[in-house]
């Protein structure tokens, strides 16, 4: 089987062609970064207009690079939510049009489930583990920070999530207050890569341990903004240490909570997905502190992409599920 994946939930227009076993034949991403960066975040109206301009080219390019044509595609998978409704609808309508015109089955995919399935694509080390379950997955992106327990394929128990901001949101805001563009994560990572991560103290979790698997990043986010306002000299002269210290505080929260849950639920391994999972300091720290195997997607598949959507759709389709032309966008879809 060959699947076409389409992803337009946020600011990247993406299309991919994969094989049934999760082998990626093409993975195309038209980034909108340049259109949003001056605003310090994503402007929904710009995002949907750009998706509308780019979606056709992106799908054609994915087909071209894969060496396939639409006639050899057996399934069209598209992100149905969560995300920006105006953005999601562009991908969904493109998928519906192709499905209707070419009589191809259509399936809507949860974006978070897509991130989880980035771990099972053929190029990921986890795809070669014969029985990875129970598996704990940390989803850590611009909109979500949650811990998910998987006892088998396509089953999810959310055991903890953030009470307030997502980890990506905190680092994006910190970068914005430093005067850098969007997304903030890669900028902060680059600046802090040679910095002293213990030079400045940023707070960890700000609430009592009553919910051991919950996260909170609003305290850290506020402390970051406050630090920038109160310490212009440190920001000017010591930006490497400032960014390294902030990133380190954020990562410590993620690592501490994840390893506690992994231990308590007696899992066989830990997977980390979503944009922030591209972070090298997070990868190194978790690998160093975990006595269980830790799995990450390839860095290019940590951030939004359509290969993960194609694969999650395939998993559902092989179970006999599919959607019809009533498929709709859901901005607040949970797992
Ligand atoms: O998964 P993603 O591409 O989109 C969402 O579904 O939200 O995640 C985007 C988030 C942004 O907050 C971005 O700053 C963060 O992931 N991010 C990173 C890195 N690359 C992207 N955070 C830390 N280090 C990175 N290398
Ligand atoms: Zn995402």
């Amino acid at each position: 089987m060959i699947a076409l994946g389409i992803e337009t939930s946020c600011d990247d227009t993406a299309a991919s062609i994969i094989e049934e076993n999760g082998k990626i034949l093409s993975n195309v991403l038209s980034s909108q970064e340049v259109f949003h960066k001056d605003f310090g975040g994503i402007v929904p109206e710009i995002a949907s207009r750009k998706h509308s301009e780019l979606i056709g080219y992106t799908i054609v390019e994915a087909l071209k690079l894969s060496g396939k044509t639409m006639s050899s595609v057996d399934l069209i998978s598209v992100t149905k939510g969560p995300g920006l409704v105006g953005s999601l609808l562009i991908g969904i309508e493109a998928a519906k049009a192709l499905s209707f015109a070419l009589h191809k089955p259509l399936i809507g995919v949860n974006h978070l489930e897509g991130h989880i399935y980035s771990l099972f694509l053929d190029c990921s080390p986890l795809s070669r583990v014969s029985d990875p379950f129970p598996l704990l997955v940390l989803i850590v992106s611009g909109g979500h920070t949650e811990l998910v327990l998987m006892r088998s394929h396509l089953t999810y128990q959310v055991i903890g999530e953030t009470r307030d901001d997502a980890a990506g949101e905190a680092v994006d805001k910190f970068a914005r207050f430093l005067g850098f563009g969007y997304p903030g994560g890669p900028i902060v990572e680059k600046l802090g890569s040679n910095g002293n991560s213990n030079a400045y103290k940023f707070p960890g979790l700000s609430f009592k341990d009553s919910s051991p698997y919950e996260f909170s990043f609003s305290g850290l986010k506020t402390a970051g903004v406050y630090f920038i306002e109160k310490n212009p000299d440190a920001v000017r002269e010591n930006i490497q240490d400032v960014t390294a210290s902030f990133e380190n505080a954020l990562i410590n929260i993620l690592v501490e909570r994840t390893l506690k849950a992994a231990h308590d639920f007696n899992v066989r391994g830990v997977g980390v997905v979503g944009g922030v999972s591209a972070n090298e300091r997070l990868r190194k720290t978790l690998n160093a502190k975990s006595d269980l195997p830790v799995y990450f997607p390839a860095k290019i598949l940590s951030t939004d992409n359509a290969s993960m959507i194609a694969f999650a759709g395939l998993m559902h389709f092989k179970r006999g599920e599919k959607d019809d032309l009533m498929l709709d966008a859901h901005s607040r879809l949970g797992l």
Side-chain angles (χ1 to χ4, degrees):
M1 280 189 72
I2 297 288
L4 162 66
I6 298 174
E7 152 66 41
T8 62
S9 67
C10 196
D11 62 330
D12 290 319
T13 318
S16 165
I17 302 287
I18 66 161
E19 287 179 351
E20 187 169 349
N21 63 357
K23 181 172 178 213
I24 299 173
L25 301 183
S26 66
N27 178 43
V28 177
L29 192 125
S30 307
S31 170
Q32 299 184 7
E33 212 173 294
V34 296
F35 304 112
H36 299 279
K37 75 173 175 17
D38 291 343
F39 299 96
I42 295 159
V43 185
E45 174 74 4
I46 296 178
S48 26
R49 278 177 187 275
K50 289 293 163 193
H51 282 310
S52 175
E53 279 172 27
L54 296 166
I55 188 79
Y57 296 110
T58 309
I59 294 171
V60 168
E61 195 62 19
L63 284 165
K64 226 190 266 173
L65 289 175
S66 71
K68 303 285 177 192
T69 59
M70 254 335 271
S71 61
S72 49
V73 168
D74 303 296
L75 173 70
I76 301 168
S77 302
V78 62
T79 308
K80 64 179 175 186
L84 302 168
V85 166
S87 289
L88 290 163
L89 283 172
I90 306 291
I92 290 175
E93 292 311 312
K96 281 192 203 172
L98 288 170
S99 164
F100 178 71
L102 303 170
H103 308 286
K104 305 283 182 186
L106 170 73
I107 192 147
V109 171
N110 182 315
H111 181 81
L112 301 176
E113 194 173 23
H115 273 302
I116 290 176
Y117 272 85
S118 67
L119 281 175
F120 293 97
L121 281 159
D122 170 70
C123 57
S124 160
L126 187 61
S127 70
R128 279 173 284 288
V129 177
S130 57
D131 187 7
F133 304 112
L135 178 75
L136 180 74
V137 183
L138 169 67
I139 304 176
V140 63
S141 69
H144 293 84
T145 305
E146 48 192 85
L147 283 168
V148 181
L149 183 64
M150 286 179 81
R151 296 191 192 277
S152 62
H153 273 297
L154 304 179
T155 65
Y156 313 102
Q157 183 189 347
V158 178
I159 59 168
E161 54 197 326
T162 179
R163 291 182 168 198
D164 38 58
D165 302 314
E169 220 173 316
V171 72
D172 288 340
K173 180 141 191 198
F174 185 66
R176 187 159 83 227
F177 269 76
L178 284 170
F180 302 123
Y182 174 88
I187 303 167
V188 169
E189 168 162 38
K190 200 164 168 214
L191 282 169
S193 60
N194 294 318
N196 173 3
S197 60
N198 295 311
Y200 301 99
K201 180 115 187 72
F202 288 98
L205 286 167
S206 55
F207 56 90
K208 288 260 177 282
D209 229 16
S210 55
S211 311
Y213 318 121
E214 276 192 342
F215 298 94
S216 167
F217 291 99
S218 70
L220 175 63
K221 186 175 88 174
T222 310
V225 170
Y226 191 75
F227 181 92
I228 295 164
E229 283 171 1
K230 296 284 163 202
N231 299 279
D233 293 349
V235 169
R236 201 171 40 247
E237 287 151 26
N238 240 343
I239 189 69
Q240 292 194 339
D241 294 349
V242 171
T243 45
S245 301
F246 182 86
E247 190 182 79
N248 191 44
L250 181 120
I251 284 165
N252 283 341
I253 297 174
L254 292 170
V255 170
E256 183 206 307
R257 285 307 203 223
T258 304
L259 293 183
K260 168 145 184 60
H263 178 261
D264 291 355
F265 285 86
N266 213 4
V267 294
R268 288 199 174 164
V270 177
V272 190
V273 300
V276 181
S277 74
N279 186 278
E280 195 53 37
R281 196 187 299 271
L282 172 62
R283 290 178 175 228
K284 279 199 182 128
T285 311
L286 205 46
N287 273 318
K289 292 197 171 165
S290 173
D291 45 15
L292 289 166
V294 184
Y295 306 99
F296 294 91
K299 281 192 184 177
I300 194 176
L301 300 170
S302 280
T303 43
D304 289 350
N305 66 87
S307 300
M308 66 186 197
I309 302 301
F311 198 44
L314 256 173
M315 294 292 291
H316 280 286
F317 185 68
K318 285 201 282 182
R319 281 195 171 182
E321 298 166 36
K322 62 178 180 163
D323 285 298
D324 57 26
L325 296 179
M326 295 299 285
L327 180 65
D328 202 1
H330 301 274
S331 62
R332 293 191 157 271
L333 196 62
L335 264 176

